[in-house]
Amino acid sequence: MDSLPDNAVQLGTDGESGGFAHRLGPNYRLLGLESKSPAASGGGRRIAIGLPDGGFVAARLAPMPSPPPSPIGITLLALSISVTLLGVWAARGLTGPLRRLAWAAENFTPNGELAPLPERGPYEIRAAARALNQMRERIKSLVDDRTRMLAAVSHDLRTPITRLRLRCEFIEDQAARTQMLGELARMNAMVESVLHFLRDGQKRQQATMIDLATSLQTICDQFADIGHDVRYDGPDHVVIRAHAEELHRAITNLIDNAVRHGGKADVHMSLTAPTVTVAIEDDGPGIPDLHKENMLEPFVRGDTARGMNNNDGFGLGLSIARSVIEAHSGTLTLLDRQPQGLIAKVTLPRAVATAGEVEAG
């Protein structure tokens, strides 16, 4: 190239071009050729070298390769990644066993059958899991022993009660005989109530689809047939998944409680999307708010307003009903009725029946 191109510009003495000009020496000029299109540069810078005789040589500078990464930088990056992964692994190793421990503690029930909690993880987690497993076994053993003892005593008491009733028949004094037979009848009723309470605390059958409305109508008719004022108000058919016999006994206990203390029972059933509600109302004296929760405990009979002096009850009807209803994932609540009386409100989850799965309750 004899003449200087129009797009040539003088390059500075710094950077890559400055080092190249220094190596050429003072007799050579170094000019840059500006490209009209970035794609035309071909990946390197075009230059023009002025020769001592006045001519020019066009050339292209190859791109300088990137400097290799520093060993210290690589080490720090690898260390950061390793520490991060180690932290994630350690966190999962701790939180996983802790979640299992919390789940096992929250879902433990004395009557439930839960597999032992796996003893994995750090030493402290394994020790806590081992202690929880041992505690669950001790509690379950204690509850089982208590249940067996009460069931055995209650069952064995029926035999002497029966013998005493037979011997009472030979008492000549009519008033004394009637009084003793009444006391024996109440003792036998209490024994039967204890046996039912212990039995209903365990699931003995698989839940099936039942028609709750039909079951309620049947129970109300049974009370009405023996002279009690019991009425049903609600849909003709409502299907839920339940243990038919246990739920039948729970509702019977609630209606019997309303009839005994309120003189009558109005049974209402209403439906919502996820639940069915059964309200059993009476006209009795009701229960003070401070004692409503206690009345749901076993052998609690309430104050004089609700018939504490009545010898027909043993304080197990409401507790049996609550145990059965809670076993069905439902709730039992005692509410005030206006102007007087009590409302036993039962809320149960609904279910969708399939063909041929519904029982009459």
Side-chain angles (χ1 to χ4, degrees):
M1 178 169 57
D2 295 334
S3 61
L4 182 64
D6 295 336
N7 59 348
V9 295
Q10 182 69 38
L11 295 178
T13 59
D14 56 345
E16 177 186 356
S17 59
F20 186 64
H22 178 71
R23 289 194 293 270
L24 289 176
N27 296 326
Y28 295 86
R29 296 174 58 193
L30 185 62
L31 303 173
L33 300 178
E34 294 181 349
S35 176
K36 297 180 180 179
S37 173
S41 61
R45 186 172 188 179
R46 297 181 68 240
I47 61 174
I49 302 174
L51 302 178
D53 59 1
F56 290 90
V57 175
R60 188 186 302 277
L61 292 176
M64 291 292 292
S66 301
S70 171
I72 298 178
I74 295 177
T75 302
L76 293 177
L77 178 62
L79 184 61
S80 301
I81 295 174
S82 300
V83 170
T84 302
L85 294 177
L86 182 61
V88 172
W89 175 81
R92 294 189 61 182
L94 289 175
T95 57
L98 286 176
R99 283 196 301 267
R100 290 193 296 268
L101 188 66
W103 181 89
E106 291 175 356
N107 291 274
F108 170 68
T109 55
N111 296 327
E113 295 294 336
L114 290 177
L117 185 66
E119 299 177 8
R120 296 195 298 264
Y123 171 78
E124 291 77 8
I125 300 296
R126 295 199 307 270
R130 188 181 308 110
L132 180 62
N133 288 332
Q134 294 173 354
M135 181 192 68
R136 289 165 53 181
E137 291 296 329
R138 288 195 300 268
I139 293 176
K140 194 173 186 308
S141 177
L142 179 64
V143 172
D144 291 342
D145 291 342
R146 184 207 63 175
T147 302
R148 284 192 295 266
M149 181 189 67
L150 290 176
V153 171
S154 301
H155 181 272
D156 293 343
L157 279 175
R158 293 189 299 181
T159 300
I161 290 174
T162 302
R163 287 199 297 263
L164 288 174
R165 292 180 61 182
L166 293 175
R167 293 176 181 178
C168 285
E169 298 296 336
F170 297 98
I171 298 177
E172 296 181 358
D173 189 338
Q174 178 68 27
R177 182 172 65 250
T178 301
Q179 185 177 6
M180 292 185 67
L181 288 175
E183 294 294 335
L184 290 172
R186 282 188 286 272
M187 289 175 61
N188 187 70
M190 187 173 186
V191 169
E192 293 294 335
S193 296
V194 172
L195 290 174
H196 283 300
F197 177 76
L198 296 175
R199 184 192 65 184
D200 290 339
Q202 301 176 356
K203 295 181 179 180
R204 303 173 310 282
Q205 60 181 5
Q206 184 177 2
T208 58
M209 305 301 297
I210 66 170
D211 191 336
L212 180 60
T214 301
S215 180
L216 291 177
Q217 295 175 47
T218 300
I219 297 173
C220 293
D221 291 341
Q222 291 173 347
F223 277 93
D225 290 342
I226 58 177
H228 294 297
D229 186 4
V230 179
R231 298 184 179 90
Y232 170 76
D233 177 29
D236 294 332
H237 300 282
V238 175
V239 176
I240 67 171
R241 182 177 294 277
H243 299 269
E245 295 181 2
E246 295 179 3
L247 192 57
H248 187 283
R249 176 170 175 79
I251 299 298
T252 300
N253 285 347
L254 294 176
I255 296 178
D256 181 71
N257 184 75
V259 170
R260 182 185 299 117
H261 300 291
K264 60 177 292 187
D266 294 326
V267 182
H268 304 277
M269 183 165 61
S270 59
L271 305 177
T272 58
T275 61
V276 54
T277 301
V278 178
I280 301 170
E281 305 178 0
D282 64 56
D283 290 333
I287 301 175
D289 292 338
L290 295 177
H291 302 302
K292 284 187 172 66
E293 186 64 26
N294 291 335
M295 287 295 296
L296 298 176
E297 298 297 327
F299 303 107
V300 176
R301 297 175 52 198
D303 57 7
T304 55
R306 194 66 180 178
M308 185 174 180
N309 295 324
N310 189 343
N311 293 326
D312 292 335
F314 303 102
L316 285 173
L318 290 177
S319 60
I320 291 174
R322 183 173 71 166
S323 297
V324 172
I325 292 168
E326 289 181 350
H328 288 78
S329 301
T331 58
L332 171 61
T333 309
L334 301 181
L335 305 173
D336 292 327
R337 185 188 187 193
Q338 299 300 330
Q340 69 175 20
L342 185 73
I343 301 175
K345 182 180 178 182
V346 177
T347 303
L348 295 168
R350 296 185 63 184
V352 179
T354 57
E357 197 179 10
V358 180
E359 295 183 3

